Amino acid sequence: MRKALLAAAALLVAFAPSARAQAPAVPRQGIVCTNGTTFDLTATPGYIETPDGNSVLMWSYALAGGEFQSPGPVLCVNEGDSVTVHLHNDLTEPVSIVFPGQTGVGGSGSSGLLAKEAPAGGDATYTFTASQPGTYVYESGTDPEKQVEMGLYGALIVRPAGHPDYAYDAATRFDPQREYLVLLSDIDPDLHHAVETGAPYHFDQLRNRYFAINGRQFPDTLQDNGVSWLPAQPYGSLIRVKPYNATGNPLPALIRMANVGTVNHPFHPHGNHIKEVAQDGRPLRTPGGGDASSEHFAETIGSGQTQDYLFSWTDQDSWNPGSNPFPASVASPDYRNLTFKDGNTWSSGSAYLGSKGTLPVGTVSQNICGEWYFPWHSHALNEFTNYDAGFGGMATLLRVDPPGGCTAVAGTASILAGTLNSGTATALAAADTAYYKVNSTVSGTRTADWYGGFTGVPRGSTGLAVTYTGRNSIAALPTTLWIWKWSTSTWVQMGAATGVGTSDVTSTRTPPSPQSDYIGTGANAGKVRVRVLTTGTTTNFVTQGNLLKLTYDAP
Amino acid sequence: MRRTMVLILIAVGLTLPASPASAADVSIDLCASAGTLTLPGPVTANIWGFALAGSGGSCAGVTPSVPGPVLSVDQGDTVSIAVHNTLTTPVSLEVPGLSLGQGAGISAPAGGAATATFTASAPGTYLYQGTERQVPMGLYGALIVRPPTAGQAYGSATTAYDREALLVLSAIDPAFNASPATADLYHYAPKFWLINGKAYPDTDLVHGVAPGTKVLLRYLNAGFDNTSMRLLGAYERVLARDAHPLANPFDATAETIPAGGTEDALVTIPATGTRFPVYNRQLHKTMLTFIEVP
Ligand SMILES: [Cu+2]
């Protein structure tokens, strides 16, 4: 899907470089904006895949020249833009687009009940000025009981002029790296099958069986944007945050929620309250212009409605194995709290954020490094299913990453030059009194050269950083840190040498880009190796490693 | 002072603000009678509806309607509503949100009559209705209590309007209405979705507006489910729910009116656009009307 989108963008750019919609560089998670002021959409049929193995005929708006996708592309414009949407109709009946929340929508096409229409095989155009920022939907205004049910909908985002990091105003500033769309929809596959086979379409027999967020059903909702095995459903909805911190992480995430389904959905975000700041693209204010936002742990979002939420996750307990241990008198969080299906769990098994505990035998852990997960889902439990089989449907997960990212400590140690003095890799797990000691070589320029091995680093991790704490038996010796580059089977030096003497010195290093070169694949999947090289004297010495740690942001 | 009630013809669907009046005794005589409603198809559904009684409370020759007649009184009025029941089953009258002082409601026995007397203590948009199976049969209507200041929905000047339109939302399942006493509610499945008792294209348009006109939409949900109404091309400022003004009115384009609830929303007609659809966003397409310029 990602390739197809980029190809479409290239085509559009070649056609009219100035204003046509730009397909985005797709982030793994978070909102995927199609930016522009002029958009070419095609109403077209296609199929989505559901987690239970079904495939369902949908109608949707696709970027002209691009692949079918459900929902339609997220159209992102700026406040004040003159927006033009061209609609070409590849369906066999007239189709249209309405833009709730926009005033003065003009354009051309054949006249229809709610909007100008594109006849079968024909075109229509819509123009409007995006006069106010907000989260909006666009959807069919033609025979809605069939066409909206069939999937003709998408989201429209209007960003405040000059402030893409505001939802509306300074009070709604958010972390642009944490902007999420949560577009709710529901599907009656029998009605879609009727359209597919030309059977009579009885909307009054509606019975929804599939419930989606951003066009996918749980657990597909957790997959990255643009995964190859969901070619028609490019948008994931895993919500990721780090704990609120007044200095390090002060800004909230922005959750842009919209309901394009046929029924109201009671949405239940676990973890912390969410703060509703706007509805239908208008901020909630007091008559005097003050803040009228409100906090919720459950909120019904009506059919056709949009709601914007700011979300910060605060660690209320801050359990820490050293300074604030989890009370021994209280049962630890139980893995069964988060077992969804087939023995799979996202639980870390630990009360400490960023630590992994022991999970029962037979449990398949989806946990990377002790991050926490909370379900965000429709509390209408029939909607928490895929064709009545739970859990599924209108659900995703909130993922709270450890504040410093994922942390791994060296689990193995191997000597390249020198001999083992004492200790094992276990000594490298913490800066404490235990050391992993390596004797230098004993002739010529003395050298102690060894590396620590890390495992379980997911492919696609970023922000790799190495921390080494150690000392030597004699005064300051130049010490360099290296990382193994799997693609060339060579060591790559990270930064300049540090002089390390007889007391502990801590060095932090980041490897040069691209960091994917340093995470093993195939038989070495998830492996990272970091080398500590101490040399430059003709006196025998002992290198004493205390801590060898890797931090990274998991994908 | 004794006045007769002010009747708004719902066929018009839109009125100018009424003039204020001081508190008075208001007497209203309603008939609860059986009739029919012609729906698209055409389908003729059996209904029970309220109608204004003739002189002396006579129900001879009256035609019940769905919804019933719009009742409009002034805040502070002492209101007496007599229900003359021509049906062969008892009929109740309730006005959720107003204290009738006689329990939840009154009940007129088959062929008999009962009177509810209450004070219209607070302004707002209220449903008056029967109970249980009487409601899907059509025994409901709008009661408007007007504040002392003419042209306002409530006491605050921010609720001033130029025009008002009632949108009584409901649904009808002709199969249920064919045998209301015995129909299995498990199979209740409406086929017709109505505004003021009519399905599009027969619904009443809201005319007589121009850019800047403030149109008060009084939504009343007499149907069986929570109903989301979409407005296109304009915003509505939600002023009140269930006849209670909101501390923080807000702007919306898709509002859910709970079953049994009412909502007041003010649409200021924008400078551009001449036709503003108001429709059921849950895709029941006959629940549709338009606000139109002029
Ligand atoms: Cu829940």
Side-chain angles (χ1 to χ4, degrees), chain A residues 268 270 377 379:
Chain A
H268 194 224
H270 290 230
H377 65 105
H379 216 292

Side-chain angles (χ1 to χ4, degrees), chain A residues 54-249:
Chain A
N54 202 351
S55 74
V56 180
L57 176 72
M58 302 288 291
W59 293 352
S60 189
Y61 303 106
L63 289 170
E67 300 288 323
F68 173 85
Q69 67 167 82
S70 178
V74 182
L75 309 180
C76 296
V77 304
N78 293 317
E79 178 185 2
D81 282 351
S82 292
V83 179
T84 301
V85 179
H86 296 297
L87 173 62
H88 179 72
N89 184 5
D90 276 350
L91 299 171
T92 55
E93 60 186 62
V95 73
S96 64
I97 310 178
V98 296
F99 296 91
Q102 307 307 321
T103 56
V105 177
S108 61
S110 49
S111 59
L113 184 63
L114 303 179
K116 296 287 190 190
E117 293 181 339
D123 297 272
T125 298
Y126 308 93
T127 57
F128 58 89
T129 300
S131 58
Q132 296 202 47
T135 302
Y136 305 94
V137 299
Y138 64 95
E139 59 194 18
S140 176
T142 303
D143 199 5
E145 72 171 25
K146 181 179 178 187
Q147 296 195 356
V148 174
E149 166 64 32
M150 285 302 289
L152 286 164
Y153 42 64
L156 168 69
I157 309 297
V158 181
R159 300 188 183 284
H163 281 288
D165 57 337
Y166 294 175
Y168 295 89
D169 54 10
T172 56
R173 187 177 170 204
F174 63 95
D175 179 349
Q177 302 303 310
R178 302 188 188 280
E179 182 183 7
Y180 298 93
L181 176 69
V182 176
L183 183 90
L184 310 179
S185 62
D186 39 62
I187 294 166
D188 177 347
D190 290 346
L191 288 181
H192 290 237
H193 191 65
V195 171
E196 188 174 15
T197 57
Y201 184 91
H202 294 297
F203 184 72
D204 56 13
Q205 294 173 6
L206 176 78
R207 182 171 177 192
N208 294 314
R209 299 285 204 155
Y210 292 112
F211 304 89
I213 301 178
N214 297 348
R216 295 182 188 170
Q217 296 80 22
F218 184 88
D220 290 346
T221 48
L222 306 180
Q223 302 294 341
D224 288 351
N225 293 322
V227 291
S228 59
W229 57 92
L230 294 167
Q233 294 143 283
Y235 302 143
S237 57
L238 179 70
I239 312 289
R240 287 182 64 182
V241 297
K242 284 187 174 180
Y244 170 81
N245 181 295
T247 51
N249 187 31

Side-chain angles (χ1 to χ4, degrees), chain A residues 104-454:
Chain A
V105 177
S108 61
S110 49
S111 59
L113 184 63
L114 303 179
K116 296 287 190 190
E117 293 181 339
D123 297 272
T125 298
Y126 308 93
T127 57
F128 58 89
T129 300
S131 58
Q132 296 202 47
T135 302
Y136 305 94
V137 299
Y138 64 95
E139 59 194 18
S140 176
T142 303
D143 199 5
E145 72 171 25
K146 181 179 178 187
Q147 296 195 356
V148 174
E149 166 64 32
M150 285 302 289
L152 286 164
Y153 42 64
L156 168 69
I157 309 297
V158 181
R159 300 188 183 284
H163 281 288
D165 57 337
Y166 294 175
Y168 295 89
D169 54 10
T172 56
R173 187 177 170 204
F174 63 95
D175 179 349
Q177 302 303 310
R178 302 188 188 280
E179 182 183 7
Y180 298 93
L181 176 69
V182 176
L183 183 90
L184 310 179
S185 62
D186 39 62
I187 294 166
D188 177 347
D190 290 346
L191 288 181
H192 290 237
H193 191 65
V195 171
E196 188 174 15
T197 57
Y201 184 91
H202 294 297
F203 184 72
D204 56 13
Q205 294 173 6
L206 176 78
R207 182 171 177 192
N208 294 314
R209 299 285 204 155
Y210 292 112
F211 304 89
I213 301 178
N214 297 348
R216 295 182 188 170
Q217 296 80 22
F218 184 88
D220 290 346
T221 48
L222 306 180
Q223 302 294 341
D224 288 351
N225 293 322
V227 291
S228 59
W229 57 92
L230 294 167
Q233 294 143 283
Y235 302 143
S237 57
L238 179 70
I239 312 289
R240 287 182 64 182
V241 297
K242 284 187 174 180
Y244 170 81
N245 181 295
T247 51
N249 187 31
L251 293 174
L254 174 63
I255 316 294
R256 298 184 184 269
M257 205 176 289
N259 179 1
V260 292
T262 56
V263 296
N264 299 353
H265 294 293
F267 204 79
H268 194 224
H270 290 230
N272 272 187
H273 286 54
I274 55 177
K275 184 163 92 167
E276 184 182 1
V277 296
Q279 181 175 323
D280 292 349
R282 292 294 179 271
L284 297 170
R285 300 226 170 97
T286 65
D291 177 14
S293 63
S294 55
E295 303 248 325
H296 298 269
F297 56 79
E299 178 70 320
T300 294
I301 176 162
S303 173
Q305 203 174 49
T306 74
Q307 292 174 352
D308 294 305
Y309 293 92
L310 295 177
F311 179 73
S312 282
W313 188 88
T314 302
D315 193 345
Q316 303 286 344
D317 302 306
S318 300
W319 303 121
N320 179 286
S323 58
N324 188 23
F326 192 77
S329 59
V330 178
S332 283
D334 193 303
Y335 78 99
R336 284 172 296 192
N337 294 343
L338 275 173
T339 295
F340 279 88
K341 212 173 181 181
D342 304 332
N344 275 273
T345 187
W346 281 264
S347 170
S348 67
S350 170
Y352 302 112
L353 181 59
S355 299
K356 291 180 83 165
T358 305
L359 290 168
V361 174
T363 305
V364 180
S365 175
Q366 306 292 336
N367 197 279
I368 300 168
C369 69
E371 73 280 7
W372 287 353
Y373 294 88
F374 300 87
W376 281 24
H377 65 105
S378 169
H379 216 292
L381 295 182
N382 64 305
E383 302 178 353
F384 204 170
T385 69
N386 297 319
Y387 213 96
D388 297 343
F391 291 108
M394 191 173 281
T396 186
L397 292 176
L398 164 71
R399 171 171 150 189
V400 179
D401 290 307
C406 289
T407 299
V409 291
T412 61
S414 308
I415 296 169
L416 297 169
T419 56
L420 179 66
N421 176 289
S422 63
T424 65
T426 337
L428 299 166
D432 52 16
T433 56
Y435 287 80
Y436 173 72
K437 298 183 180 179
V438 177
N439 300 317
S440 69
T441 54
V442 293
S443 63
T445 303
R446 310 297 199 263
T447 298
D449 190 2
W450 61 279
Y451 69 89
F454 303 86

Side-chain angles (χ1 to χ4, degrees), chain A residues 454-466:
Chain A
F454 303 86
T455 56
V457 180
R459 188 174 58 87
S461 293
T462 55
L464 270 59
V466 170

Side-chain angles (χ1 to χ4, degrees), chain B residues 4 18 24 29 56 81 95 98 103 146 169 179 189 193 206 212 224 235 241 245 252 254 256 268 270 277 281 283:
Chain B
T4 53
D29 284 279
I81 301 178
V95 188
L98 289 175
R146 301 187 181 282
L169 313 177
S179 51
W193 300 80
V206 180
F224 76 108
Y235 272 85
R241 284 176 169 154
T256 296
T268 301
R281 176 53 184 73
L283 313 185

